[in-house]
Amino acid sequence: MNRKLFLLFLIVTFIGSSNFCSKILNTKSKPGLVVIFLTGKVEVERNGKLVSLSLGSVLQKNDTIKTNSGTLDLQTSLGHVIRLKPYTNLSIESLHGDLSEETSLAVRTGLLLVKTNKLSQKEQFKISTPTAIAGVRGTAFSFEVVQGTLPKIKVYEGMVAMTLKAPVSQVISADKISENPNYQKLQKLLEENEIVISEEEEAEVKPEFDQLAQTILNQLDDAAIAQSIESFRDDLVRTVQRGKFERDPRESADLETLVKIDEDLISGSLNNKSLTKEIEKDQSEKLNIALDKVESIAGSQKLDSEEEIKKYYSVLESIHKLDKTVLHGAVVTQVGNTMLVHSTKGTFRLDVSEVEYIKYKNFDVITKKKK
């Protein structure tokens, strides 16, 4: 009898350990970025064809995304969330999962807002432009491509490490440059001078970087350039403008509303399950909690006059509603069709369908814009 019980114990233990091992082996995430929020006409091109999007759609390696006037929130299997703002154009170069430890996004134009969990020792999360690569170290930050190919990074939490890249020459072929040992020396110089951007810091690559790099590229065949490349070190570093910034309340609100949904829904979507309604429900509930928090913070400021609102938000607007009422204050944040307004009459959560137009009254200049 004891022997039978012992054998039964071994069988149960083996089955349990097999299931445990199976779970361990299957923890490797499937590659993909899952759509968790979507507004406007966002376009995704895959293999030369446009792909229709809905909540739960999975974006893949080599996909190209154009948000046009819309916005798009994406989530990875590891809980990282990314918001693509209007008029953003990027390509997915690599995705974490299967045999890859790297997620890499190449931004051509536009603005991203990113919130990542703490990365594992092996994992890499990168955002690049033709002139720079930003390596994430567990953080919340924005990444904007301004003036063509020159990035601007603002770090809200954690750190981002930026490495400059030698741009493509405007007059010499890429093949010829890549074979040149002086080019390799220049690239190594840039890689060795990593720029670490800490919490509450911003950094922007100035146009002088591209001009200086082009000057160096055009002299690669000059025998004397090998000795002088090192002398460009200080000049190259000076082309990055870095400093502290004071976070705008609307930036904080934007960050707060970039919410993460249940990871089981992400896993299910990556395994080809149709979970559109479940994702919409979960995201909506978490977004409402975030908006409640933003509204509570706004209300606690006790701003009663237009002057106080303008000073706090650095903007003054008048929101003209279809029912002919007017709210004087500031749009704190807008996510999809939901607009949170802080006015002299209090805070209000509006649907954009209620708004006829908005007047912007900064610096004594009034501009009028439809909602």
Side-chain angles (χ1 to χ4, degrees):
M1 183 69 178
N2 288 338
R3 186 176 179 181
K4 289 182 179 179
L5 286 173
F6 179 69
L7 288 172
L8 180 61
F9 171 76
L10 287 178
I11 291 169
V12 171
T13 302
F14 176 76
I15 292 172
S17 63
S18 296
N19 289 336
F20 176 75
C21 291
S22 176
K23 288 180 180 179
I24 293 294
L25 291 172
N26 289 326
T27 53
K28 196 71 172 177
S29 61
K30 285 193 172 184
L33 295 174
V34 179
V35 176
I36 62 171
F37 188 75
L38 172 68
T39 61
K41 190 179 178 181
V42 177
E43 296 179 349
V44 172
E45 186 176 309
R46 181 179 298 158
N47 299 323
K49 297 180 180 179
L50 291 179
V51 178
S52 60
L53 284 187
S54 61
L55 297 183
S57 294
V58 178
L59 304 188
Q60 303 171 3
K61 180 180 176 180
N62 298 325
D63 284 353
T64 297
I65 308 163
K66 295 179 181 179
T67 56
N68 300 306
S69 59
T71 60
L72 180 67
D73 288 3
L74 303 168
Q75 184 169 327
T76 74
S77 61
L78 299 175
H80 310 319
V81 281
I82 307 151
R83 174 170 293 164
L84 281 63
K85 295 284 206 165
Y87 306 106
T88 294
N89 183 347
L90 67 77
S91 297
I92 302 172
E93 292 191 330
S94 63
L95 287 168
H96 182 279
D98 288 346
L99 301 177
S100 174
E101 294 286 350
E102 180 181 277
T103 296
S104 181
L105 308 176
V107 183
R108 293 184 178 88
T109 57
L111 175 61
L112 306 184
L113 189 62
V114 181
K115 287 166 72 173
T116 67
N117 290 328
K118 186 175 181 180
L119 275 62
S120 68
Q121 210 166 20
K122 292 183 178 180
E123 186 189 357
Q124 296 184 62
F125 191 108
K126 297 179 179 179
I127 298 178
S128 67
T129 72
T131 54
I133 300 174
V136 182
R137 297 180 177 177
T139 189
F141 68 100
S142 66
F143 187 101
E144 183 177 11
V145 176
V146 292
Q147 301 182 45
T149 61
L150 305 174
K152 179 178 180 179
I153 300 170
K154 297 179 80 170
V155 178
Y156 303 109
E157 300 168 15
M159 289 191 302
V160 170
M162 180 170 67
T163 304
L164 297 174
K165 296 193 300 184
V168 175
S169 172
Q170 297 167 355
V171 294
I172 308 171
S173 70
D175 290 342
K176 186 177 179 181
I177 287 178
S178 62
E179 295 169 359
N180 193 305
N182 288 331
Y183 176 82
Q184 305 300 331
K185 188 173 182 179
L186 171 61
Q187 187 59 54
K188 185 179 179 183
L189 173 67
L190 294 172
E191 290 171 357
E192 289 174 347
N193 286 271
E194 181 181 78
I195 300 160
V196 177
I197 310 161
S198 301
E199 193 165 309
E200 303 297 336
E201 277 190 336
E202 62 182 348
E204 182 174 3
V205 182
K206 296 186 288 186
E208 287 84 347
F209 168 74
D210 198 42
Q211 296 165 9
L212 181 59
Q214 292 297 332
T215 298
I216 299 171
L217 290 174
N218 292 338
Q219 299 177 40
L220 287 180
D221 290 330
D222 186 343
I225 196 70
Q227 285 74 41
S228 60
I229 283 178
E230 185 67 26
S231 68
F232 283 107
R233 181 190 301 271
D234 292 340
D235 291 332
L236 288 165
V237 172
R238 277 197 292 269
T239 63
V240 178
Q241 183 175 324
R242 187 176 64 174
K244 289 283 186 181
F245 73 93
E246 187 174 340
R247 192 188 304 192
D248 185 288
R250 292 178 300 162
E251 290 178 310
S252 297
D254 209 13
L255 199 64
E256 190 68 42
T257 59
L258 180 55
V259 297
K260 178 172 68 173
I261 69 167
D262 190 294
E263 292 183 5
D264 287 340
L265 296 175
I266 299 299
S267 178
S269 297
L270 291 172
N271 284 291
N272 302 317
K273 292 182 181 179
S274 179
L275 298 169
T276 301
K277 291 182 179 178
E278 292 85 349
I279 289 174
E280 182 178 19
K281 181 175 182 293
D282 192 53
Q283 198 275 345
S284 179
E285 288 174 354
K286 288 172 179 172
L287 178 58
N288 279 326
I289 292 171
L291 287 170
D292 286 343
K293 182 177 178 180
V294 173
E295 191 170 354
S296 175
I297 292 171
S300 69
Q301 301 303 313
K302 302 190 182 304
L303 308 177
D304 300 319
S305 68
E306 291 185 13
E307 290 75 16
E308 290 173 324
I309 290 174
K310 182 178 180 180
K311 183 178 180 181
Y312 184 69
Y313 291 106
S314 302
V315 69
L316 186 61
E317 302 160 315
S318 59
I319 295 86
H320 295 250
K321 299 174 63 181
L322 288 171
D323 63 7
K324 303 306 177 184
T325 60
V326 180
L327 298 173
H328 299 282
V331 176
V332 183
T333 189
Q334 181 177 337
V335 185
N337 292 327
T338 303
M339 182 185 295
L340 182 63
V341 176
H342 191 172
S343 76
T344 53
K345 298 177 183 178
T347 56
F348 298 88
R349 208 176 295 187
L350 307 176
D351 190 281
V352 293
S353 62
E354 301 176 62
V355 179
E356 184 178 7
Y357 63 88
I358 299 172
K359 278 186 178 179
Y360 299 86
K361 303 191 289 184
N362 268 18
F363 311 111
D364 298 321
V365 176
I366 298 177
T367 59
K368 182 176 176 180
K369 182 182 178 182
K370 282 284 185 181
K371 48 109 174 114

